[in-house]
Amino acid sequence: TQQVAYDSQLRDRRMRTHGAVAAALEDAYRDRIDEHAVFVADHWARAGERLQAADWYRRARGRLWLINHKEAHRCVHEILSLFEDTTGLEPRDARRAAKAVIEACSGALFLGWSLGISREEADALLERALDAAGEEGVDSPLSDPERAKLLTEVHMAYGHAALHWDTRASIRHSREGDALAQRSGDELVRLEACRLLVSVLRACGRYREAWERAEPEIANPPSDALMGATGRGVTPFPGLVRQGAMALAHVGQPREALRLLEYAASLFRTDGRTVALEDMKSREEDAGHHAVGEDFHQPLGFAVDCYYFLGDAERAWKCAQMNWEEDRRSGAQLNFIRGREKLGTALRMRGEWTELRRVGAEAAELPKTFRSPHNEQRIHAFIALARAHLGDRDGAIKQAMEVLAI
């Protein structure tokens, strides 16, 4: 009918307009395009250009990962909604769509680790990723190494999400991802999978197993120890060394753990020097240290825990303060919470209960966008401990019940 034809013309015109706006945004903000990536993606999606939209949502997620997990979560689900139906795609486009779906499922699972995710949601994402990957050598649109690489990330992401509700499933899927990584033929993927497996084993209290998995990799570093450095997130090998160090600290070797943390930090020094963590300078003051993001401040945070095991309150406090300054400077909400956790550990060692209660209360007031159950437990435990030492028995009990509820 005439109305149907008219509506179709309007729809086509709107789609062309959205495509033109997307192209204009790309051109106008080329120097700061990451800040506008989500808007570019939205317009390409409305223009019906699914593959271009997916590329831009993926780019937007990379930036939002550090500053707004909820918006990053929206990006991955937008990608999944773009490819509800992939029938009729050319083989090359089908491969790009499969890759986009699998990466989006991984992203949603990793974000579920911080935002919370049900087992049913996680299972659905895993099933969709496996379906997109197809069966190896039969109906997969991906090459075997590429398939192994993408599914490595899916299983590692599921392993982290499962920490919320089933530690055995968490370890099982993390081990599956580690095994797939060996078949990917990609050393970077293999190191990252090992790092994530060690992280999960640590989170599950399997410290000796974590160290046994990390030790041979640390003893045989790659020719390029900084491969995969992106300026954001974690560089795999130094990150693995740090995770291994914390496993070692928990099996009674905190001094050796500190030496590993110093080694991890030294990998980023242009002069190759090893500096005691409590003597490190800020990034602005130390031109010789070129790590950024977690690669810079995570060794300081982990050192707080090592000094806790050693009972050295002053060094713990010094590292916690510097770690907090770096976390605060990063502008990432997730780091605000982690930084306060480390301050809390050091304040507890120093017996500064009023300050501990204040720091805990500040952390509790932060948006829950980035807080995992582990973060919640630590925050409320600090407040409960502080209240108990300050004579607020009822408040301490109430706060302790919050810990049990979590």
Side-chain angles (χ1 to χ4, degrees):
T1 65
Q2 187 176 11
Q3 184 62 43
V4 171
Y6 179 70
D7 290 343
S8 178
Q9 288 176 352
L10 281 178
R11 184 172 62 252
D12 291 344
R13 187 181 302 166
R14 289 194 193 100
M15 291 172 69
R16 288 195 299 272
T17 300
H18 282 296
V21 171
L25 285 171
E26 288 183 32
D27 185 60
Y29 296 104
R30 64 181 64 185
D31 294 331
R32 296 183 295 118
I33 194 61
D34 283 350
E35 298 173 27
H36 303 275
V38 71
F39 303 114
V40 176
D42 286 340
H43 282 292
W44 280 127
R46 292 185 176 92
E49 298 292 343
R50 295 189 292 173
L51 293 168
Q52 282 179 271
D55 288 342
W56 282 99
Y57 279 126
R58 181 175 178 272
R59 186 166 177 170
R61 189 205 78 171
R63 175 176 177 272
L64 292 166
W65 186 277
L66 293 180
I67 59 175
N68 191 328
H69 276 192
K70 285 187 176 178
E71 273 299 298
H73 194 257
R74 180 179 85 83
C75 287
V76 295
H77 280 280
E78 289 287 356
I79 293 172
L80 293 174
S81 67
L82 286 170
F83 299 109
E84 291 289 352
D85 182 8
T86 58
T87 56
L89 288 177
E90 296 293 326
R92 182 180 176 182
D93 290 344
R95 175 182 166 277
R96 286 180 63 190
K99 185 177 179 181
V101 166
I102 297 167
E103 289 178 340
C105 288
S106 298
L109 286 165
F110 269 126
L111 288 163
W113 173 57
S114 62
L115 297 175
I117 188 171
S118 70
R119 186 168 196 154
E120 292 72 25
E121 290 176 287
D123 286 345
L125 286 166
L126 176 63
E127 183 178 353
R128 181 158 182 196
L130 293 173
D131 183 63
E135 188 175 344
E136 185 177 352
V138 180
D139 61 349
S140 176
L142 308 165
S143 67
D144 289 350
E146 186 176 37
R147 181 180 180 277
K149 179 178 176 179
L150 290 167
L151 290 185
T152 292
E153 189 171 355
V154 170
H155 282 285
M156 302 315 292
Y158 188 97
H160 271 66
L163 286 169
H164 285 295
W165 25 262
D166 188 342
T167 56
R168 287 180 297 180
S170 176
I171 292 170
R172 185 173 68 254
H173 281 277
S174 297
R175 289 195 188 282
E176 174 68 16
D178 192 38
L180 279 165
Q182 307 302 317
R183 295 162 46 194
S184 71
D186 188 317
E187 187 174 23
L188 185 61
V189 171
R190 186 178 60 76
L191 285 169
E192 178 66 356
C194 181
R195 181 185 75 83
L196 292 170
L197 172 58
V198 172
S199 172
V200 162
L201 290 169
R202 274 189 55 230
C204 295
R206 309 272 279 266
Y207 302 115
R208 194 163 297 281
E209 288 179 54
W211 172 241
E212 288 172 353
R213 179 66 188 90
E215 183 180 21
E217 300 289 350
I218 294 171
N220 295 283
S223 56
D224 178 8
L226 298 184
M227 69 168 72
T230 61
R232 295 187 295 194
V234 182
T235 305
F237 181 71
L240 171 60
V241 174
R242 297 193 295 267
Q243 292 292 340
M246 292 316 298
L248 196 58
H250 279 86
V251 296
Q253 300 184 60
R255 291 192 187 283
E256 290 77 3
L258 277 170
R259 282 194 284 272
L260 276 180
L261 290 173
E262 289 167 355
Y263 164 59
S266 75
L267 293 171
F268 291 94
R269 293 195 63 87
T270 53
D271 56 15
R273 289 191 306 117
T274 299
V275 178
L277 293 169
E278 66 271 18
D279 293 331
M280 282 175 60
K281 298 177 181 179
S282 70
R283 278 176 289 174
E284 284 71 15
E285 297 173 316
D286 189 351
H289 201 292
H290 56 93
V292 296
E294 290 195 31
D295 283 322
F296 187 91
H297 59 74
Q298 198 179 67
L300 292 164
F302 283 171
V304 175
D305 295 326
C306 289
Y307 286 126
Y308 172 79
F309 287 123
L310 291 168
D312 192 332
E314 292 314 304
R315 283 192 171 93
W317 177 239
K318 190 171 181 181
C319 287
Q321 286 181 300
M322 183 175 288
N323 178 65
W324 167 240
E325 285 303 313
E326 292 298 325
D327 285 344
R328 188 170 59 82
R329 191 179 287 116
S330 74
Q333 291 184 34
L334 178 60
N335 292 337
F336 292 173
I337 295 164
R338 289 175 174 173
R340 283 183 170 89
E341 280 188 32
K342 299 306 178 184
L343 284 175
T345 297
L347 289 168
R348 174 186 174 187
M349 294 176 73
R350 290 161 63 92
E352 297 186 22
W353 307 115
T354 301
E355 186 67 5
L356 177 59
R357 181 177 61 183
R358 184 189 68 79
V359 167
E362 284 181 353
E365 290 173 3
L366 289 168
K368 291 190 175 183
T369 309
F370 286 88
R371 297 214 299 261
S372 70
H374 171 75
N375 296 138
E376 291 285 314
Q377 287 176 329
R378 290 287 295 275
I379 291 166
H380 289 291
F382 283 146
I383 299 172
L385 189 63
R387 284 181 167 175
H389 279 274
L390 292 170
D392 183 2
R393 180 176 178 274
D394 292 340
I397 291 172
K398 180 181 178 182
Q399 211 74 46
M401 294 303 291
E402 292 277 358
V403 177
L404 292 173
I406 295 165

